Amino acid sequence: MRVSRFACFLLPFLLVACGNEWNDPYPAAERGKNILYTAFTDRPKHLDPVQSYTEDEITFTAQIYEPPLQYHYLKRPYTLVPATAEQVPVPRYYAADGRELPSDAPAAAIAHSVYEIRIKPGILYQPHPAFALDAAGQPRYADLDRERLRGIERLSDFAHSGTRELVADDYIYEIKRLAHPRLHSPIFGMMAERIVGLKELGDELQRAAQELPADGWLDLDRFALDGVTRVDRHTYRIKLRGKYPQFLYWLAMPFFAPVPREADRFYNQPGMAEKNLTLDWYPIGTGPYLLAENNPNSRMVLERNPNFHGESYPCEGEAEDAAAGLLADCGKPLPFIDKAVFSREKESIPYWNKFLQGYFDASGISSDSFDQAVRLNVGGDVALSDEMRGKGIRLLTSVRPSTFYMGFNLLDPVVGGKDGVGPERARKLRQALSIAIDQEEFISIFMNGRGVAAMSPLPPGIFGYLEGEAGINPVVYDWKDGHVQRKPVAAAKKLLAEAGWPNGRDAKSGEPLVLNLDTTGGGMGDKSRLDWLTRQFAKLDIQLVVRSTDFNRFQEKLRKGAVQLYYLGWNADYPDPENFLFLLAGNEGRATKGGENSSNYASPEFDRLYERLKNMESDGPRGAERLELIRQALAILQRDAPWIFGFHPKSYTLGHAWLYNRKPTEIGNNILKYQRIDAAARAAQREAWNRPVLWPFFAGAALLLAVVLPAVLGYRRRERGTARPSA
Amino acid sequence: MLAYLVRRLLYALPILIGVNLITFALFFVVNTPDDMARMQLGVKRVTPDAIEKWKAERGYDKPLFVNSAASGAGVLTETIFFAKSARMFVGDFGRAEDGRDIAREISARMGPSLAIALPTFVLGLFVTVAFALVLAFFRASYLDFWGVVLCVALMSISGLFYIIGGQYLISKVWKLVPISGYGGGVEAWKFLILPVLIGVVSGIGSSTRWYRTIFLEEIGKDYVRTARAKGLSEAAVLFRHVLRNALIPILTGVVVVIPLLFMGSLLTESFFGIPGLGSYTIDAINAQDFAVVRAMVFIGSVLYIVGLMLTDISYTLVDPRIRFDR
């Protein structure tokens, strides 16, 4: 086949009948196979579950590692269900004296929470050389050195592999790895405050690591972790300080996936790291897929794990799922796809064109291709363009659990009022700006309508987000005729005058009001965005000074509280309001406490409510009470306006007709196993869409002849000519 | 010759130290070790303690250039500059900030870079020299005029336009080759055609004009008139005499580039998804990975010096009058 295609290329004149796709970027041997093709833009930095945190990484790790819990694929709001655990653990609460407390005990009375997790027996790891045993039953690759590693460059170069059953110790080992001083887990600091003994373990491991050579192995089994104990072969307990209901969400992240001690030992042998043979490069898991090829510069390949314990496609979902065909595969064994090829595409144009040619099964929509893909109806509804519909492409939309905002630094004398104009004037100034900056216009102009104007920090889909009139920000919006309507600029001007800056000038001194926005600039479109923003401030006759800086300096300014206005965003770690509201908690002040509250907002009133609601469950008997507390907390934020609530971005995804069971999910990441493709339909469409156009060869040859022939004739004429014209 | 090469190698040492020093200073003017730690650890939930630990483990907790707390040679050696630079001179580039071995990464990426750069270079040289010779042959004719106009037009178009236009026309509209991607082994050729073609076409304008100028200057010399007077054909005059004598200025610009072919092309690799050294450098700059940036600049400097030495050697091959022996 290869030879014939090569011949096809070299001999285009003979190729009129050649039907294959010449522009197929994949090997001919893969044609018609049950393989999903997709792309990634940024290379994953870490595949070690203790370190990987970003979306680029979790796209891969979530298919390989199995934490005890996962999110239900179809149900919304997002619901936790068991993955390797037998059931979602129910925490037990204990007082400081060790007495067990009822489940509805007040959070202040709870000294410890204990989560007992029982994992399903019989789950096996993917085949891996770390499990390979010799005839005596001893690990085959336990005593490697640089000499014995000669000739081994990849994991597949090891001749033998093995497997073993997943046990509770593997989960415990991974939790200990959170404290490993050389792994720098991003959640160690936070978890050390929660998991009993983790901070002490971190200190102990730090001392032990200092005594080891740089490539020495730190056997974590030698160190005890008080808060995590093994109950039996398949059961372990985690003891937390206080009450922390959000911990269940963490149990659905790769940070809490199992890592077998054998793998840690295997990868920490001399010479391994030099060959990139590390857990960070070659993950090992029990999930539906294993990483068969890791070339993050070019492509990553996931293949079906032959030892996967099995799971079936869900039979329940949202009301509209059945109509969308998302329940058609109810009860069928997972995963459907044999292999997933992720190709690296750094640029959006080739990515988009390959999708249109059928070489990627799904794609996002970049702003370059938005008009080609989607059209907005008069009513603001989104529909696919005729070209997309003609190709049978489907559009999936969802609102991401993210929020983008312009923050005020409450430590600033003008916008924060601290040691300056006073809190009341500053608050009215912030409210006036919240009204004046038209988020709907921003979304329409700069995001092609792909966003929802924010009423509070909480995005749709998160407990506490309210639709309709109940959910509007009454400081910025009115509810009229069943629709939300931004208050007029006159209302903002009135507030500004009350704040002491009528017409944008200080009522006493007459000095114009000048505000400074610190931003990381330089990207495409930044100039027009900032021009637009300047015009929004100008509505109130306020002068905006944009101080563009690089990312590092910007972060430094935030840490020092040296900004006045800034832009930031937050992507949810888990679908709980606490994960957004903590961004405004007083004890999270960035300049004061080194936390995540970049506005340094500190309201005792809000903090009191936050402290109560953060430890409550959204479901169950106290759900209504929590909802009321959230409503009160949001009302305080809307009144105090420490942020100008910006927008929650919408995600638009396109999928080809041959791709099934794709539902937008922004929290659960282990979605590959649910997807199914019709490879035969894809092959047929690819062939129809990619017939090579051959006339350019003929045209090129003719053009070449037209240029070369007169040149040759001219040359020959000159060569035959005489120096002097003949008489 | 040997003495000359040794002398040039010794001259290279202070140049490399200087380049290293400038790279180091420029990098750390923009990025502090704290910034690097934050970039590697992420911006979410990173504690000051985690940053300190990251720096300590990678040796970024030392002073940059002078360690006043140390004694003796330690004042200079117990610094970030010394710790990060000295080992490069023995070929040890260490690890990237994400823990991966840089030398290994470079060796893996060199192939794809060369797969694009080498054919582009060879074909481009052949096409441009041939085209320039044709224009020189038909000098002062309509062919020459329109050839020069074409060259000026080709020079005036941005490199990015060639890439996007080429991808649109050849891959999207005509569907003749994959729009981007890379494959090893025999599959590689189909990915190389388009970037090589674009590389050659985009380089024709400027190179042809340069070579044409050189050839025209050479054509006007006495020995060419003599050769013609002896009855040699114009082709023999051009290829046997003019081309040979014009090689010195051509070699000056060409040979120095040969070693740098290893470094890849930033733009081409990025648009065509070629996993070469050009995209490695760009990724490292974006990720503030000092270890990789420093290694790539160092290798680039070494290759440039090697290129200059090769250029000098090449002169002795094409011009028997040039000798390095005293």
Side-chain angles (χ1 to χ4, degrees):
Chain A
M1 175 64 83
R2 241 176 232 156
V3 173
S4 68
R5 290 190 65 213
F6 190 65
C8 280
F9 191 83
L10 290 179
L11 304 169
F13 299 102
L14 304 175
L15 280 184
V16 180
C18 186
N20 284 342
E21 308 96 76
W22 294 11
N23 59 356
D24 186 349
Y26 307 117
E30 289 183 359
R31 222 166 269 177
K33 296 247 175 95
N34 183 19
I35 301 172
L36 180 120
Y37 294 99
T38 185
F40 65 106
T41 303
D42 293 315
R43 57 179 281 173
K45 268 196 258 179
H46 299 291
L47 297 176
D48 186 331
V50 88
Q51 292 172 290
S52 78
Y53 200 6
T54 66
E55 205 175 313
D56 315 318
E57 295 159 356
I58 212 158
T59 300
F60 302 101
T61 55
Q63 324 309 327
I64 299 164
Y65 296 110
E66 283 192 304
L69 305 180
Q70 62 182 335
Y71 291 95
H72 193 283
Y73 184 51
L74 300 175
K75 283 185 184 171
R76 300 292 181 275
Y78 291 100
T79 308
L80 286 172
V81 293
T84 58
E86 287 200 330
Q87 59 188 20
V88 177
V90 178
R92 297 169 73 173
Y93 301 119
Y94 295 88
D97 57 7
R99 191 167 36 89
E100 185 165 353
L101 299 170
S103 61
D104 59 351
I110 297 171
H112 295 110
S113 313
V114 173
Y115 292 77
E116 184 169 297
I117 300 153
R118 179 164 176 77
I119 53 169
K120 296 166 193 164
I123 295 174
L124 295 178
Y125 279 99
Q126 65 178 76
H128 195 280
F131 297 125
L133 302 176
D134 59 19
Q138 296 302 310
R140 188 179 283 274
Y141 300 117
D143 298 308
L144 299 178
D145 51 30
R146 286 179 178 82
E147 186 55 36
R148 290 187 63 193
L149 280 172
R150 187 167 293 172
I152 288 179
E153 302 299 330
R154 289 176 295 272
L155 208 58
S156 54
D157 292 335
F158 287 96
H160 301 273
S161 66
T163 186
R164 76 151 166 80
E165 190 192 16
L166 171 71
V167 293
D169 285 330
D170 301 332
Y171 284 97
I172 298 172
Y173 199 85
E174 167 66 357
I175 297 172
K176 287 180 180 176
R177 294 179 82 242
L178 293 174
H180 198 301
R182 290 179 183 168
L183 296 177
H184 305 289
S185 177
I187 65 163
F188 170 66
M190 198 262 291
M191 282 299 158
E193 290 174 13
R194 298 288 182 183
I195 299 175
V196 173
L198 194 64
K199 185 174 186 315
E200 293 74 11
L201 177 67
D203 295 339
E204 203 179 343
L205 293 177
Q206 178 78 36
R207 287 191 293 275
Q210 281 165 356
E211 292 164 13
L212 277 176
D215 59 352
W217 177 49
L218 203 53
D219 182 2
L220 301 182
D221 268 2
R222 291 196 293 116
F223 302 89
L225 173 56
D226 293 343
V228 184
T229 47
R230 177 186 190 271
V231 177
D232 59 40
R233 184 173 166 81
H234 296 109
T235 314
Y236 64 105
R237 277 192 201 125
I238 304 173
K239 187 177 177 185
L240 305 182
R241 288 191 190 85
K243 185 179 180 183
Y244 185 41
Q246 292 79 17
F247 187 66
L248 284 176
Y249 296 118
W250 288 103
L251 290 178
M253 294 192 203
F255 293 116
F256 288 87
V259 167
R261 178 178 174 274
E262 297 95 314
D264 199 33
R265 172 79 192 92
F266 172 81
Y267 283 125
N268 278 284
Q269 296 180 87
M272 286 285 213
E274 291 154 28
K275 293 171 180 272
N276 287 339
L277 294 168
T278 64
L279 192 63
D280 214 19
W281 193 267
Y282 291 106
I284 168 171
T286 59
Y289 292 95
L290 54 86
L291 188 64
E293 186 182 331
N294 182 2
N295 182 0
N297 312 319
S298 182
R299 70 178 213 159
M300 314 268 287
V301 178
L302 294 174
E303 279 179 9
R304 187 191 283 264
N305 172 9
N307 296 337
F308 183 53
H309 51 88
E311 204 180 328
S312 55
Y313 189 85
C315 295
E316 297 171 87
E318 289 183 287
E320 60 269 28
D321 287 346
L326 286 168
L327 294 176
D329 285 324
C330 161
K332 289 184 182 167
L334 301 177
F336 293 113
I337 291 165
D338 292 335
K339 185 172 163 181
V341 176
F342 296 76
S343 305
R344 191 169 186 200
E345 290 292 347
K346 286 182 173 179
E347 302 295 335
S348 60
I349 295 173
Y351 187 165
W352 174 245
N353 285 326
K354 276 166 129 175
F355 169 71
L356 292 183
Q357 290 171 336
Y359 296 124
F360 288 138
D361 296 320
S363 167
I365 310 176
S366 70
S367 28
D368 298 332
S369 46
F370 189 83
D371 291 338
Q372 190 187 352
V374 170
R375 63 171 188 221
L376 290 171
N377 296 333
V378 182
D381 296 332
V382 176
L384 280 171
S385 66
D386 292 343
E387 183 189 352
M388 297 301 115
R389 278 190 285 120
K391 282 176 171 276
I393 289 169
R394 285 190 285 248
L395 172 68
L396 301 169
T397 65
S398 64
V399 181
R400 296 176 58 192
S402 309
T403 191
F404 287 83
Y405 56 91
M406 177 188 280
F408 297 100
N409 178 11
L410 276 286
L411 301 179
D412 181 81
V414 178
V415 298
K418 190 177 168 61
D419 305 326
V421 301
E424 188 58 21
R425 281 182 65 188
R427 183 167 60 81
K428 289 195 170 177
L429 169 63
R430 296 195 299 269
Q431 289 178 343
L433 286 169
S434 299
I435 296 169
I437 299 176
D438 190 339
Q439 302 297 340
E440 291 77 10
E441 188 178 284
F442 180 89
I443 292 165
S444 169
I445 295 174
F446 296 105
M447 301 177 67
N448 300 109
R450 285 180 286 181
V452 174
M455 299 292 164
S456 75
L458 300 187
I462 299 293
F463 184 78
Y465 177 86
L466 296 176
E467 298 277 358
E469 187 176 3
I472 68 166
N473 178 356
V475 173
V476 178
Y477 295 94
D478 293 319
W479 186 261
K480 278 188 184 164
D481 306 326
H483 293 287
V484 65
Q485 195 171 65
R486 181 171 285 273
K487 285 182 190 290
V489 175
K493 286 188 169 175
K494 182 168 174 287
L495 279 167
L496 191 66
E498 289 171 11
W501 284 285
N503 300 316
R505 288 183 176 271
D506 190 300
K508 289 179 188 163
S509 66
E511 290 289 314
L513 178 56
V514 180
L515 296 179
N516 300 300
L517 171 74
D518 282 278
T519 178
T520 52
M524 219 159 44
D526 273 0
K527 172 81 171 65
S528 50
R529 281 169 201 240
L530 293 173
D531 286 347
W532 175 86
L533 195 61
T534 306
R535 284 200 298 279
Q536 303 298 305
F537 277 70
K539 286 181 192 169
L540 302 180
D541 298 311
I542 296 173
Q543 294 176 27
L544 179 70
V545 176
V546 178
R547 301 193 294 207
S548 285
T549 183
D550 65 83
F551 180 76
N552 294 332
R553 296 290 80 71
F554 174 68
Q555 289 289 330
E556 191 182 344
K557 282 181 169 184
L558 285 179
R559 282 196 300 279
K560 290 180 176 170
V563 296
Q564 198 168 38
L565 307 174
Y566 64 93
Y567 262 124
L568 270 184
W570 178 263
N571 294 321
D573 294 308
Y574 44 80
D576 191 89
E578 178 266 349
N579 196 231
F580 288 91
L581 296 179
F582 92 105
L583 296 169
L584 288 158
N587 59 3
E588 284 283 339
R590 180 164 285 198
T592 50
K593 309 269 170 51
E596 298 286 349
N597 175 359
S598 299
S599 281
N600 302 297
Y601 172 66
S603 158
E605 199 183 357
F606 171 80
D607 287 348
R608 253 194 317 276
L609 290 166
Y610 169 73
E611 285 302 319
R612 283 180 65 195
L613 72 88
K614 78 173 187 182
N615 289 320
M616 295 169 78
E617 290 85 0
S618 299
D619 48 2
R622 298 187 70 190
E625 187 188 344
R626 192 182 196 212
L627 188 62
E628 176 55 24
L629 291 175
I630 292 170
R631 200 190 58 73
Q632 291 175 27
L634 296 185
I636 293 168
L637 295 180
Q638 287 162 344
R639 183 199 66 201
D640 287 351
W643 296 351
I644 296 175
F645 304 115
F647 59 89
H648 310 297
K650 274 185 185 172
S651 149
Y652 283 26
T653 312
L654 298 174
H656 280 295
W658 56 77
L659 179 63
Y660 297 94
N661 297 340
R662 194 161 173 116
K663 178 168 182 169
T665 174
E666 307 291 345
I667 294 283
N669 292 289
N670 57 344
I671 57 171
L672 185 59
K673 62 186 172 187
Y674 302 106
Q675 294 178 48
R676 180 166 60 80
I677 50 168
D678 181 344
R682 177 174 62 190
Q685 290 289 46
R686 278 185 183 175
E687 189 162 348
W689 293 344
N690 295 290
R691 290 188 201 285
V693 179
L694 297 176
W695 66 259
F697 284 109
F698 299 99
L703 186 70
L704 198 65
L705 203 65
V707 173
V708 171
L709 197 63
V712 171
L713 293 174
Y715 174 76
R716 291 181 66 179
R717 195 167 52 242
R718 243 196 226 192
E719 286 298 293
R720 287 177 184 169
T722 53
R724 183 181 296 174
S726 52
Chain B
M1 171 80 90
L2 189 64
Y4 170 80
L5 290 178
V6 171
R7 199 164 61 242
R8 288 295 298 264
L9 282 173
L10 290 175
Y11 289 160
L13 271 179
I15 293 171
L16 288 174
I17 292 171
V19 167
N20 215 8
L21 195 68
I22 292 167
T23 313
F24 186 86
L26 286 176
F27 190 91
F28 281 98
V29 162
V30 181
N31 306 289
T32 64
D34 279 47
D35 296 334
M36 293 166 63
R38 283 198 172 80
M39 186 57 96
Q40 297 305 320
L41 296 173
V43 287
K44 273 174 115 176
R45 303 181 187 278
V46 178
T47 60
D49 186 45
I51 288 167
E52 290 309 315
K53 282 180 181 165
W54 186 93
K55 281 160 48 185
E57 192 193 304
R58 283 164 172 75
Y60 287 114
D61 55 344
K62 298 187 181 99
L64 289 178
F65 290 106
V66 179
N67 189 348
S68 49
S71 57
V75 173
L76 292 176
T77 57
E78 291 175 23
T79 60
I80 299 178
F81 177 70
F82 187 84
K84 301 290 173 189
S85 305
R87 300 183 74 175
M88 282 201 305
F89 285 87
V90 291
D92 180 1
F93 299 115
R95 304 248 174 106
E97 303 305 354
D98 63 5
R100 289 164 191 174
D101 190 72
I102 294 174
R104 192 170 191 78
E105 193 86 359
I106 288 172
S107 65
R109 286 170 174 265
M110 206 180 272
S113 279
L114 274 178
I116 298 286
L118 206 59
T120 306
F121 173 77
V122 174
L123 270 176
L125 189 64
F126 174 78
V127 169
T128 50
V129 167
F131 192 28
L133 281 169
V134 169
L135 294 184
F137 179 80
F138 290 104
R139 59 196 171 279
S141 69
Y142 280 111
L143 195 68
D144 182 31
F145 174 79
W146 287 111
V148 172
V149 168
L150 179 68
C151 287
V152 172
L154 289 171
M155 281 168 68
S156 311
I157 297 170
S158 147
L160 198 59
F161 182 85
Y162 285 109
I163 293 173
I164 295 174
Q167 284 184 328
Y168 176 79
L169 206 63
I170 297 174
S171 296
K172 192 184 174 192
V173 178
W174 295 340
K175 304 173 182 80
L176 297 176
V177 289
I179 199 161
S180 68
Y182 186 76
V186 289
E187 292 283 343
W189 66 269
K190 66 181 175 186
F191 298 104
L192 300 181
I193 289 170
L194 187 56
V196 168
L197 183 69
I198 288 172
V200 169
V201 171
S202 64
I204 284 178
S206 54
S207 300
T208 303
R209 284 203 64 201
W210 168 234
Y211 298 149
R212 176 183 167 275
T213 310
I214 295 169
F215 294 144
L216 287 181
E217 192 181 327
E218 211 63 32
I219 278 173
K221 289 187 177 168
D222 289 345
Y223 73 91
V224 176
R225 195 178 306 122
T226 309
R228 285 203 190 108
K230 283 183 172 177
L232 285 182
S233 71
E234 193 64 16
V237 170
L238 278 178
F239 285 95
R240 208 179 298 159
H241 296 285
V242 173
L243 182 58
R244 269 193 191 175
N245 285 289
L247 273 179
I248 290 275
I250 292 177
L251 287 175
T252 305
V254 167
V255 179
V256 74
V257 179
I258 294 174
L260 290 173
L261 297 177
F262 288 92
M263 302 295 286
S265 158
L266 306 184
L267 208 58
T268 306
E269 288 183 8
S270 189
F271 266 84
F272 287 100
I274 309 289
L277 287 173
S279 55
Y280 188 44
T281 311
I282 285 285
D283 286 350
I285 292 168
N286 289 336
Q288 295 179 15
D289 194 326
F290 173 63
V292 177
V293 172
R294 180 199 59 203
M296 293 309 293
V297 172
F298 185 83
I299 293 171
S301 311
V302 170
L303 291 174
Y304 191 69
I305 290 168
V306 170
L308 291 174
M309 289 169 67
L310 287 178
T311 306
D312 288 352
I313 294 168
S314 69
Y315 290 161
T316 65
L317 299 177
V318 298
D319 190 343
R321 292 169 300 178
I322 299 175
R323 287 290 176 267
F324 297 124
D325 304 324
R326 292 188 176 179

